[in-house]
Each structure stands twice: as structure tokens, then as C-alpha cells.
């Protein structure tokens, strides 16, 4: 901008100088021509008076600096101070002669392009009708300009120098405030009043952009916080497979890298992820599964469409390990339920068929009826346990929490189980002071009953079952059921809380167990926010502790 202002200012100065010189020379030339005409008119008057008094003799004796011509009334040349009158043509048609004969005075000019001169004529009519003409040569404006070329050139150069200096300073003064304009705070700068609307607009746009940038940064931080807190992997790619956004989980699962790559091909990407991205960029839904480090993952990719065109792909990598395990457990549960229900039903059906066909002796009928009743009771117990587990799975037992004294609850359970314990020669003990927690009494009762029932069933003759209540040093409450029974082998300890899992299936069925007791204990503890700790040594006994959080203790 500064060079342009400089050039324009210099051009304005040069134009002003040229026009000034041209106007000055034109005015000077016109003024000089007017003076020459006036001098010639005065000379013509002087010569006319001399001719009136002395005639031709006056002219012949006159030594004048200008050319003098005496023209008769018919245009014939009577006298010419510069040429022979006999060889000159008739002058009646000359402009100045004709004008003088008509009006008494006339003047004209003749330009010679060869000599670059201009001849000025002034004529006056005498009383006898003849005309006296006086002429003088005058330089043309071109000649005048050539004569003044050197001083004019010096003037132009001086003016150009001054114009250049002033134009340079003016350009710097004009552009300096603009160059020093603070775009972040335009209204703080000293500027021209003409730029005030521009700076006001810049200030408004700056505030708008700053607000939009703050909102964009806040949304970007929110987006980053949300995606980084996701357990799923998230990838956003454009149509050229460049990674626009990602979270740490996606980088770990898809690329096994620490930093997200610029492009999908920049690192070794999982084949399943690449296949889903290709499908999404082709405009279709992509889904693949893979396993990594003992976990199962599912990749889902969908196209991002704008104005009817696929502009990118959104990829989600989800950990479906728990879902797969649940599906596996559900299938296993269904198979176990079917098997567990089939066994008593088969026995009942067999006994009933023998009785229907009359193959049972009369004296054996009561025995067969007792077996049918026992299997039916076992079937009812199994169904009851399944219903309880289903209710606990849905966290909807249908009871309101209340204050429950675990000491009193354990005493009631032990009292109910005392006949069964006496039948197996097992001693029951209750230790600890009253301890109150907030929970559902029926669920807690089921939990304590199953723990104590298992401790009695899998005990040894003359064994013992001890229920202890205490406040651990870490806080909360602890209910522990310990027995001196057969114990649980180490290989089975991690699975005893699974549904229908039995260490010794034949022995468990002989004892009347359904295989769901410890599963009910596990779900009851989870319902109350408690955790289980199992310690068991084969042939020495088992101890299962239920640790309630401090928030449930009253």
C-alpha cells in the first residue's frame, strides 16, 4: 500500500508541475503576443501619419526594425521594406488588408512550420483608402519552450524531488496507523476518523470470533472429556481415511499405539477395523468382532453423510466381554435348568408309570409315593431358587429396606437349622455382639440361611458351624460363616458361586442341594453392596465372610 500511495502522490505532483508549466507558458505566450500586437498597432499609427505627410519619400527614408508594406486601395503593393514591390502579388485578399479596408484597422498572424516562427501583422487604412501594414516575426510556443527547456527541467526536477520526499512522508504517515493497527484491540489504536467504522467492525468481529472460539474450545474440551471417559473406543475419519478424532481406548485397541496416527494407513491397523471403515466409506454399515487379551470386542462403523455424499466414517469399538459371558452363562444356565428339571421329572414320571401299569407291589406303593413326593419337593425347591435368583437379577425383590439386626437374624436361622445340624452331629455357634445394618430382611435371611445350610450339609460328623459378627478395622460390618467340613479344592474355589456349579455333583444331589445356594448368596450380597471373601482348605473347612459397606451400618 505504501508504494502505491507514494507513486500516486508523486504522479499528482508531477502532473501539477507539468500543467502549471503548460498554463504558465500558454499565458506568457498569449500575453507576449498581445504586447506585440499592441506595439505593431502603435507602429502602424506612426507610419500612417508619416505616409500622410511625406508619402513614399517618408517610407524610403525610414529605418524601422519591422517590415513595412504600403498597399494601394486595389491591393497593389506600393512599397515593401523587405522585398521588391514589382514582384509581389496583389494583397487585397490578405486577411489583415481586407479587414483594415473594411473597418479601418486589421490584424492577423501567419505560422511557418518550417522556420517554427509566427509572423504578426497589423494594418491601418489611410484617408486615401490605401493601407499601411507593419509586421514582425515572433517565436512559436515550441521555440519558446525549447528556449526555456533548461530552467523548466531544473524546476521539474526540483519539484519532483520535493514531491518524492513529501509523497514518501505522506505515504508513511498514512499507512503507519494502519500498519500499527492492533487487530485484537483495534479501538485502542489512534486512527483516522474515516477508519472508525472499520475498527468498530473489526472489534465486533474480534469479539464474535473470540466468543465463538471460547465456545468451540469448551465444546472440544467437553467432547474430549466425554470420549476419553468412554470405555468404548471412538474413531472419526474423513473420506480420505485421515483420523479426525479419537480417544485413548480406540488408539490402544485399533492401533496398539500411544498416539493417534494422522492416517489409518500410517500404522498397523487391525484388519477388522479397516474392513469396517472400508464398508462405511462405501456407504454401508460395517460390523466385525475380534478378541484381544482374553476380552471380546465388537467394531461398528457407520458412514457420515452430508448433502447426499459420504464424507467420512464413525467407528465405535465396544467391549462385549461381559455380554458374551452373560450369553454364555445364560446358555449354560438354560442347559443346567433343563438338566436339573429333567432329573426329578424323569424320576417322577418313571415312578408314576410303574404305578400306572400295576407293576408296583401294594406294600411298595407308600415307598414309591414317598420318592415321588421327595422329587416333587426337590423340583419345587429348585423352581423357588430360580425365582429368587431372577428377582435378585432384576434388583426388584419387592421389599423396602429396613433396619435388620444381623445377630438376631443369625440366631433365628441357626434355630431353624438346629434339627438338621443335630441329625448330622454338627454343633452350631453364634459369636459377636448385636450388629444392625440397613437392608431387606428376607434377602438377608435367605443369604444367611444358604450359608449356614451349606456349612451343615458339607460338614463332617462332630463338626461345627460358627457364625461370627464383628466390625472390621477398615469399617463396615462383617458376617462370617465358618465350618470344619470337607472344604473346597483350590481349582473350584473361583467357580462355586456360579449357578448350578457343584464340586461333587453326585454327593450334592444326595444332600438335596439345587446348586443355586451360593449363587443366591452372591446376588444377595451384591444387592446390599457387600462383597464376599472365601477361604477354604480341603479336609479342614471353609469360611465365607460377607463384608457390608460402612454406608449400610446403623
Amino acid at each position: 500500500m505504501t508504494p502505491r500511495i507514494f507513486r500516486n502522490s508523486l504522479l499528482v505532483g508531477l502532473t501539477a508541475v507539468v500543467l502549471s508549466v503548460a498554463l504558465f507558458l500558454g499565458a506568457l505566450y498569449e500575453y507576449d503576443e498581445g504586447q506585440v500586437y499592441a506595439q505593431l498597432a502603435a507602429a502602424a499609427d506612426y507610419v500612417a501619419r508619416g505616409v500622410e505627410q511625406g508619402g513614399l519619400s517618408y517610407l524610403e527614408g525610414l529605418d524601422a526594425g519591422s517590415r513595412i508594406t504600403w498597399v494601394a486601395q486595389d491591393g497593389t503593393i506600393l512599397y515593401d521594406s523587405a522585398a521588391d514591390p514589382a514582384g509581389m502579388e496583389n494583397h487585397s485578399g490578405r486577411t489583415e488588408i481586407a479587414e483594415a479596408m473594411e473597418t479601418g484597422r486589421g490584424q492577423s498572424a501567419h505560422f511557418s512550420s518550417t522556420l517554427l516562427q509566427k509572423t504578426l501583422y497589423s494594418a491601418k487604412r489611410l484617408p486615401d483608402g490605401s493601407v499601411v501594414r507593419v509586421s514582425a516575426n515572433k517565436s512559436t510556443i515550441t521555440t519558446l519552450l525549447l528556449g526555456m527547456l533548461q530552467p523548466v527541467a531544473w524546476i521539474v526536477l526540483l519539484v519532483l524531488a520535493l514531491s518524492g520526499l513529501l509523497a514518501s512522508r505522506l505515504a508513511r504517515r498514512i499507512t503507519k496507523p494502519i500498519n500499527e493497527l492492533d487487530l485484537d484491540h483495534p479501538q485502542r489504536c489512534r486512527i483516522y476518523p474515516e477508519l472508525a467504522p472499520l475498527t468498530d467492525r473489526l472489534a465486533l468481529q474480534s469479539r464474535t470470533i473470540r466468543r465463538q472460539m471460547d465456545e468451540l474450545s469448551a465444546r472440544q474440551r467437553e467432547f474430549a472429556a466425554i470420549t476419553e471417559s468412554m470405555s468404548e473406543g471412538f474413531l472419526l475419519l474423513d473420506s480420505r481415511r485421515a483420523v479426525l478424532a479419537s480417544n485413548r481406548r480406540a488408539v490402544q485397541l485399533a492401533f496398539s499405539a500411544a498416539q493417534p496416527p494422522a492416517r489409518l494407513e500410517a500404522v498397523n491397523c487391525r484388519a477388522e477395523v479397516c474392513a469396517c471403515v472400508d464398508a462405511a466409506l462405501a456407504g454401508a454399515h460395517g460390523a466385525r468382532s475380534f478378541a484381544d487379551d482374553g476380552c471380546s470386542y465388537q467394531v461398528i462403523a457407520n458412514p457420515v453423510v452430508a448433502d447426499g455424499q459420504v464424507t467420512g466414517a464413525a467407528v465405535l469399538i465396544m467391549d462385549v466381554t461381559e455380554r458374551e459371558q452373560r450369553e454364555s452363562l445364560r446358555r449354560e444356565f438354560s442347559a443346567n435348568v433343563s438338566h436339573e428339571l429333567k432329573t426329578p421329572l424323569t424320576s417322577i414320571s418313571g415312578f408314576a408309570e410303574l404305578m400306572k401299569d400295576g407293576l408296583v407291589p401294594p406294600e411298595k406303593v407308600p415307598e414309591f409315593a414317598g420318592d415321588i413326593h421327595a422329587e416333587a419337593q426337590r423340583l419345587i425347591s429348585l423352581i423357588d431358587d430360580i425365582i429368587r435368583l431372577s428377582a435378585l437379577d432384576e434388583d426388584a425383590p419387592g421389599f423396602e429396606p429396613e433396619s435388620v439386626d444381623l445377630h438376631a437374624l443369625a440366631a433365628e436361622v441357626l434355630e431353624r437349622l438346629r434339627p438338621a445340624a443335630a441329625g448330622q452331629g454338627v454343633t452350631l455357634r453364634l459369636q459377636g455382639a448385636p450388629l444392625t445394618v440397613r437392608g431387606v430382611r428376607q434377602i438377608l435371611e435367605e443369604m444367611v440361611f444358604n450359608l449356614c445350610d451349606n456349612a451343615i450339609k458339607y460338614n463332617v460328623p462332630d463338626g461345627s458351624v460358627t457364625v461370627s459378627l464383628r466390625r472390621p478395622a477398615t469399617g463396615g460390618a462383617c458376617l462370617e460363616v465358618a465350618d470344619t467340613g470337607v472344604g473346597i479344592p483350590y481349582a473350584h474355589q473361583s467357580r462355586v458361586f456360579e449357578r448350578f456349579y457343584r464340586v461333587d455333583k453326585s454327593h450334592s444331589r444326595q444332600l438335596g442341594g439345587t446348586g443355586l445356594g451360593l449363587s443366591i448368596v452372591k446376588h444377595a450380597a451384591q444387592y446390599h453392596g457387600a462383597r464376599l471373601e472365601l477361604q477354604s482348605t480341603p479336609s479342614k473347612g471353609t469360611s465365607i465372610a460377607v463384608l457390608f459397606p460402612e454406608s449400610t451400618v446403623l
Side-chain angles (χ1 to χ4, degrees), residues 389-530:
L389 274 176
S390 299
L392 290 174
D393 280 338
E394 297 175 1
D395 290 335
F399 297 97
E400 290 294 330
E402 57 181 308
S403 299
V404 180
D405 185 349
L406 293 179
H407 190 277
L409 179 65
E412 292 177 9
V413 171
L414 292 179
E415 190 62 30
R416 286 167 52 193
L417 291 173
R418 198 169 298 279
Q424 291 190 222
V426 175
T427 303
L428 302 179
R429 298 190 184 93
L430 177 60
Q431 298 178 350
L435 192 58
T436 303
V437 297
R438 184 169 180 80
V440 179
R441 181 179 181 85
Q442 183 176 343
I443 298 177
L444 293 174
E445 184 178 358
E446 288 281 347
M447 179 178 65
V448 177
F449 181 88
N450 280 294
L451 287 174
C452 295
D453 186 46
N454 275 4
I456 294 171
K457 287 179 179 178
Y458 298 98
N459 217 313
V460 295
D462 298 327
S464 64
V465 174
T466 303
V467 179
S468 302
L469 296 168
R470 66 178 186 276
R471 292 291 300 269
T474 55
C478 176
L479 183 147
E480 182 180 9
V481 178
D483 64 63
T484 58
V486 297
I488 303 172
Y490 295 110
H492 298 274
Q493 291 183 9
S494 61
R495 301 193 61 189
V496 293
F497 293 100
E498 296 179 8
R499 301 174 184 184
F500 297 110
Y501 188 83
R502 296 184 178 92
V503 178
D504 186 350
K505 295 184 179 180
S506 60
H507 181 61
S508 297
R509 286 197 177 93
Q510 291 175 0
L511 296 175
T514 62
L516 297 174
L518 290 182
S519 293
I520 294 175
V521 171
K522 175 184 174 182
H523 283 74
Q526 290 177 347
Y527 181 84
H528 290 87

Side-chain angles (χ1 to χ4, degrees), residues 38-59:
Q39 292 174 3
L40 290 176
D45 291 340
Y46 175 75
V47 172
R49 285 195 298 270
V51 171
E52 290 178 5
Q53 296 177 3
L56 183 61
S57 58
Y58 171 76
L59 294 174

Side-chain angles (χ1 to χ4, degrees), residues 140-324:
T140 63
I141 192 168
T142 304
T143 305
L144 180 62
L145 180 62
L146 291 175
M148 298 180 65
L149 182 62
Q150 184 175 1
V152 169
W154 281 109
I155 292 173
V156 170
L157 291 177
L158 179 61
V159 170
L160 283 177
L162 292 175
S163 298
L165 178 61
L166 293 176
S168 177
R169 293 186 60 185
L170 178 63
R172 286 196 300 269
R173 290 185 63 183
I174 291 175
T175 58
K176 183 178 179 181
I178 300 176
N179 293 331
E180 294 178 351
L181 186 64
D182 186 359
L183 296 179
D184 293 329
H185 307 90
Q187 292 179 321
R188 297 181 182 178
C189 303
R190 297 179 61 186
I191 57 174
Y192 314 116
E194 294 78 5
L195 291 179
L198 174 62
T199 56
D200 292 341
R201 185 69 176 178
L202 289 175
L204 176 61
Q205 291 182 346
S206 178
R207 291 193 298 269
T208 302
I209 293 173
R210 191 178 299 112
R211 184 176 64 254
Q212 292 175 348
M213 290 297 295
D214 292 340
E215 293 177 357
L216 182 61
S217 299
R219 291 181 181 179
Q220 188 173 10
R221 288 193 298 269
E222 291 175 0
F223 177 78
I226 291 172
T227 55
E228 288 300 327
S229 62
M230 291 169 55
S231 59
E232 297 83 3
F234 173 77
L235 284 174
L236 184 63
L237 303 99
D238 64 8
S239 58
R240 298 182 179 180
R241 301 164 69 90
V243 179
L244 302 178
S246 64
N247 62 355
R248 188 181 299 108
R249 188 60 174 159
V251 174
Q252 294 172 351
L253 294 175
F255 310 113
S256 299
Q259 297 296 329
R263 299 183 60 84
L264 204 64
E265 297 85 356
V267 295
N268 186 19
C269 179
R270 284 189 180 275
E272 295 83 3
V273 176
C274 291
C276 288
V277 170
D278 292 338
L281 293 179
H285 172 78
R288 293 287 190 280
S289 298
F290 68 91
D292 182 51
D293 196 20
C295 297
S296 300
Y297 298 93
Q298 184 176 16
V299 183
I300 298 175
N302 287 302
V304 178
V305 181
D307 298 329
Q309 299 292 328
V310 177
T311 59
V315 182
L316 195 63
I317 306 175
M318 299 183 296
D319 186 349
V320 295
T321 305
E322 185 177 354
R323 187 181 72 184
E324 293 291 336

Side-chain angles (χ1 to χ4, degrees), residues 524-535:
Q526 290 177 347
Y527 181 84
H528 290 87
R531 59 185 179 88
L532 300 175
E533 288 186 356
L534 183 146
Q535 294 179 351

Side-chain angles (χ1 to χ4, degrees), residues 98-119:
E99 185 178 354
M101 287 181 178
E102 183 179 355
T103 62
R105 187 179 293 277
Q107 65 181 26
S108 67
H110 177 70
F111 176 74
S112 174
S113 59
T114 303
L115 299 177
L116 296 178
Q117 285 185 344
K118 188 176 184 180
T119 304

